[in-house]
Amino acid sequence: FLLPEPGSCGNSTFADREIRCFIYHRFGAESEYPSTSISKRLFERHLKYLEQNDYTVLTLGRALERLYSKGELPEKTAVLTIDDAYESIKEVALPLLNNYGYRATIFVPTGHVGTDNYLTWKELDTLRQQGFEIGNHSHSHTHFVNFADKGLREKFEKDLEASHRLFQKHLDFTPKLYAYPFGEYCPRMADILEEHGYRAAAAQKSGVVYRGSNRFALPRFPMNEHYGKMDMFQNKIGMHPLGVVDSNPGNPVVFKQNPPPLSLTVKNKEIDPAGIQCFVNGQRNCSITTSWKNSSLVVNVRSLRELQSRRTLYTVTAPSRGGGEWFWYSHVWILPEYGE
């Protein structure tokens, strides 16, 4: 698919173009895997909501292609992505998706294909022929940021090459979309993906995709039996992007300062600066200050406590000036020394 040249993320010239992207993993295994699974019943309610509220559901590649073109991107565009390619796609999700006529983007960890509880290459090929999009989710599904200080390039490129060989062997193509294992990434990984011809990469942080988004750290709203409850799903699908044009630091890996500070430069005339809020993993235990610089709003956020888990989300939200809409941005922090 066609996208701007690598490195040309740029600011939006079509500010009203937005994509609500959701990430799923397992289906129908919520009692065994509560953090990564959603029930058949609740997933169907998501699909029914999309249909009843006139959403256009596209694969991620098609949605991005429309986002960056002068063609039509429906105002209500949603993307369903599924990480890991578990068998529950075929057993639970596929009949529902077929019933509503929707297609999803499936991110595949090639080293797991055909093993216990994972789809086979033949099944993935059949899904691709049916209109599902296949993306890369690494070969080994490793915590690559553990090697961010040294050895990352060698390990990440070897993993890419292994996945590419299997995609070519079994599906006769190499994906141009990537989803980071565990949603963990750093700028060096994004650079390597660009060098290998990838057009975009998805992270696992909440937010809305728009033309100003970093194409190699695209936000997705994670869905499971808890965070996928209908009130939460409806809340998130109604969000808009905060309009962040610069984030400092750009690297989500925490090496020194803990808790780490985050500075965001926001260009969005629709938000009410007085209503800006910040959260750390959903809790209001953070400091927030705002100031103006060259007609842009600068938002500084920091947790009030030292981060003590491998992944932590800073989330900044703001209401519209009229109070009827909300805008959202999340930044993930990664502490490599912490286990899962």
Side-chain angles (χ1 to χ4, degrees), residues 212-265:
S213 297
N214 180 348
R215 286 194 289 111
F216 285 86
L218 295 175
R220 299 181 290 171
F221 287 109
M223 292 286 106
N224 60 21
E225 193 67 8
H226 173 70
Y227 292 109
K229 290 178 180 177
M230 285 307 298
D231 58 339
M232 296 185 182
F233 179 77
Q234 292 173 37
N235 174 270
K236 289 169 182 174
I237 204 168
M239 287 288 172
H240 301 281
L242 186 63
V244 174
V245 296
D246 186 54
S247 175
N248 185 32
N251 192 341
V253 181
V254 179
F255 288 113
K256 296 180 179 179
Q257 287 181 287
N258 189 359
L262 176 67
S263 180
L264 305 174
T265 302

Side-chain angles (χ1 to χ4, degrees), residues 88-268:
S88 61
I89 293 176
K90 178 186 66 175
E91 298 166 350
V92 181
L94 182 59
L96 296 176
L97 291 166
N98 283 339
N99 186 47
Y100 286 88
Y102 296 154
R103 290 295 175 258
T105 298
I106 304 171
F107 287 105
V108 178
T110 55
H112 293 10
V113 176
T115 62
D116 190 33
N117 293 323
Y118 290 86
L119 295 174
T120 66
W121 284 112
K122 184 177 180 180
E123 289 167 336
L124 289 167
D125 188 40
T126 298
L127 288 170
R128 188 172 180 233
Q129 292 177 34
Q130 293 174 355
F132 287 81
E133 181 176 51
I134 303 297
N136 194 351
H137 196 34
S138 82
H139 177 69
S140 60
H141 206 278
T142 295
H143 290 281
F144 291 105
V145 297
N146 287 358
F147 312 102
D149 55 344
K150 64 177 182 178
L152 185 145
R153 173 171 287 274
E154 180 182 3
K155 292 181 182 296
F156 193 50
E157 286 197 328
K158 282 186 176 180
D159 190 271
L160 277 178
E161 291 166 4
S163 67
H164 293 170
R165 284 195 298 270
L166 289 172
F167 278 121
Q168 285 291 342
K169 177 181 178 180
H170 295 284
L171 300 182
D172 197 30
F173 92 114
T174 300
K176 297 300 181 185
L177 292 175
Y178 191 94
Y180 300 107
F182 309 102
E184 298 180 357
Y185 67 95
C186 63
R188 199 178 311 171
M189 293 171 68
D191 292 342
I192 294 169
L193 289 174
E194 281 194 336
E195 292 168 11
H196 284 265
Y198 281 82
R199 307 302 281 160
Q204 195 167 318
K205 55 179 182 176
S206 302
V208 181
V209 177
Y210 76 116
R211 282 179 61 93
S213 297
N214 180 348
R215 286 194 289 111
F216 285 86
L218 295 175
R220 299 181 290 171
F221 287 109
M223 292 286 106
N224 60 21
E225 193 67 8
H226 173 70
Y227 292 109
K229 290 178 180 177
M230 285 307 298
D231 58 339
M232 296 185 182
F233 179 77
Q234 292 173 37
N235 174 270
K236 289 169 182 174
I237 204 168
M239 287 288 172
H240 301 281
L242 186 63
V244 174
V245 296
D246 186 54
S247 175
N248 185 32
N251 192 341
V253 181
V254 179
F255 288 113
K256 296 180 179 179
Q257 287 181 287
N258 189 359
L262 176 67
S263 180
L264 305 174
T265 302
V266 178
K267 286 189 177 181
N268 188 338

